[in-house]
């Protein structure tokens, strides 16, 4: 397992994170505890959850595992959770207000059975609450010893920049990470969000690194999914999601490119897709999702795997989202060129 710092902090985390969105849904408690054991045994230490995952059940399952883990194992875990999405029907059961966040954090700490989480992430932007209210509340959490670091999730570039600038202006705990969707099928964030994070010193914690399973090669062209897969189990939304991706030729070009690199290397497609992502600029740690321990073990095989330049180039070419329209393309292409150089330059900064 490789380790990096959590953004620009001194806290070391594994470059693979255990995601726990399946806990309490596709994965029962026994399977979830087995995944946690397997992950820690493989050298992983960063575990990501959220209050909203299976309505709090994911946090409870992790809490019960922490309670029975040895003190050595418990001490090694770097625990990340999130708040923001609705946890009840009341108008104040949602958002990044002081009122909701205080309740959300207390509830997460209780479910996890801990007095402090390492990383508390705001799950998404809140267009209603003043940013000063949110950041002041998060800073209070840090000063109270309930949260060690603050993170963002699903923010755009301007939202990242505004948040960082305001935290600096007030001397509040700055965000250290951004958790965005990022994989070989979703790269548009490289135009503005990744450069924003490099500029502000935030580490990326990409979610859905396998595109929800697509990059394992399990979905076939012209064959609608059935059975125990994320898309197959949900006949209504699953078929719609399948059709949306399967009608885009780039999807199949990317899947073919991943398969070719995997066959050339003698590793699995999942490992290739994860290794590509773990070595992108700004990435701190890739969040694994798994239904079974077998899937997790496969994905953990990406630990320490670094692709050759030619392999990366082939994957980059197949997955290139194309020249964007203005402002990133057209006259803005100069901006994009500078950005690409900037990405490399900032990524090498100490
Ligand atoms: N911040 C956010 O808004 C946000 C949003 C989503 C997720 N997340 C975080 O990111 C984590 C990962 O997201 P994700 O679950 O979407 O990741 P993903 O890796 O893109 O998809 C995981 C799914 O792919 C399939 N799979 C995984 N490994 C496989 C393998 N080796 N072989 C075959 N199939 C495999 C499994 O689904 P099937 O068995 O059903 O096919 C699994 O549940 C979550 O647990 C959560 O912690 C955060």
């Amino acid at each position: 397992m490789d380790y990096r710092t959590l953004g620009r902090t001194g806290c070391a985390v594994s470059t693979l994170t255990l995601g726990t969105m399946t806990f309490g849904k596709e994965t029962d408690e026994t399977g979830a505890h087995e995944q946690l054991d397997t992950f820690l045994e493989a050298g992983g230490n960063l575990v990501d959850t959220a209050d909203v995952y299976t309505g709090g059940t994911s946090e409870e399952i992790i809490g019960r595992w922490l309670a029975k883990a040895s003190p050595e194992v418990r001490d090694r875990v770097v625990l990340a959770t999130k708040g923001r999405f609705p946890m009840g029907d009341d108008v104040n059961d949602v958002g990044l207000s002081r009122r909701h966040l205080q309740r959300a954090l207390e509830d997460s700490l209780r479910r996890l059975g801990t007095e402090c989480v390492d990383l508390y992430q705001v799950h998404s932007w809140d267009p209603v609450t003043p940013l000063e209210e949110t950041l002041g509340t998060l800073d209070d959490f840090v000063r109270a010893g309930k949260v060690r670091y603050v993170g963002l999730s699903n923010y755009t570039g301007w939202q990242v920049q505004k948040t960082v600038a305001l935290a600096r202006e007030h001397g509040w705990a700055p965000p250290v990470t951004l958790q965005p969707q990022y994989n070989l099928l979703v790269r548009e964030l490289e135009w503005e969000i990744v450069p924003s994070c490099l500029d502000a010193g935030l580490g990326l914690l990409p979610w859905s690194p396998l595109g929800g399973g697509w990059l394992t090669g399990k979905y076939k062209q012209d064959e609608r999914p059935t059975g125990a897969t994320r898309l197959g189990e949900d006949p209504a939304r699953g078929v719609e999601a399948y059709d949306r991706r399967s009608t885009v030729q780039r999807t199949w070009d990317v899947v073919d490119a991943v398969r070719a690199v995997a066959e050339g290397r003698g590793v699995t497609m999942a490992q290739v897709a994860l290794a590509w992502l773990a070595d992108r600029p700004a990435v701190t740690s890739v969040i694994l999702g798994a239904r079974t321990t077998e899937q997790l073990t496969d994905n953990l095989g990406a630990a320490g795997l670094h692709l050759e330049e030619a392999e990366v180039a082939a994957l980059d070419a197949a997955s290139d989202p194309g020249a964007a329209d203005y402002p990133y393309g057209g006259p803005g292409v100069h901006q994009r060129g500078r950005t690409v150089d900037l990405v490399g330059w900032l990524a090498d900064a100490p």
Side-chain angles (χ1 to χ4, degrees), residues 212-220 228-230 259 269 295:
W214 280 86
L215 295 167
T216 66
K218 65 168 55 180
Y219 297 118
K220 307 280 179 262
T229 59
R230 195 173 283 189
R259 184 176 291 113
M269 290 176 65
Q295 289 178 353

Side-chain angles (χ1 to χ4, degrees), residues 48 53 153-154 179 208 210 212 218 230 291 295 298-299:
D48 177 72
Y53 293 168
S153 182
N154 300 311
Q179 189 175 136
S208 275
L210 299 176
K218 65 168 55 180
R230 195 173 283 189
R291 172 193 294 265
Q295 289 178 353
D298 176 9
N299 300 345

Side-chain angles (χ1 to χ4, degrees), residues 4-44:
R4 292 186 182 129
T5 60
L6 186 69
R8 281 190 195 157
T9 74
C11 178
V13 294
S14 45
T15 54
L16 300 176
T17 297
L18 181 62
T20 61
M21 201 172 66
T22 55
F23 288 11
K25 197 175 162 213
E26 297 99 324
T27 313
D28 66 15
E29 181 147 350
T30 307
H33 286 189
E34 197 177 85
Q35 285 196 25
L36 284 156
D37 289 337
T38 302
F39 179 68
L40 267 286
E41 277 161 24

Side-chain angles (χ1 to χ4, degrees), residues 332-346:
V333 79
H334 303 296
Q335 168 70 24
R336 197 169 170 220
R338 257 177 67 83
T339 301
V340 170
D341 289 338
L342 200 61
V343 165
W345 180 67
L346 286 167

Side-chain angles (χ1 to χ4, degrees), residues 190-256:
E190 292 177 6
W191 296 335
E192 180 123 19
I193 298 173
V194 174
S196 272
C197 288
L198 284 165
D199 175 72
L202 270 64
L204 294 179
L205 303 175
W207 60 262
S208 275
L210 299 176
W214 280 86
L215 295 167
T216 66
K218 65 168 55 180
Y219 297 118
K220 307 280 179 262
Q221 202 159 9
D222 302 324
E223 201 182 299
R224 281 191 168 154
T226 53
T229 59
R230 195 173 283 189
L231 300 186
E233 270 173 352
D234 186 347
R237 286 200 1 235
V239 164
E240 195 190 307
Y242 170 81
D243 286 351
R244 209 170 32 246
R245 272 200 171 142
S246 73
T247 48
V248 178
Q249 184 52 42
R250 179 172 154 253
T251 300
W252 303 108
D253 294 344
V254 171
V255 169
D256 287 347

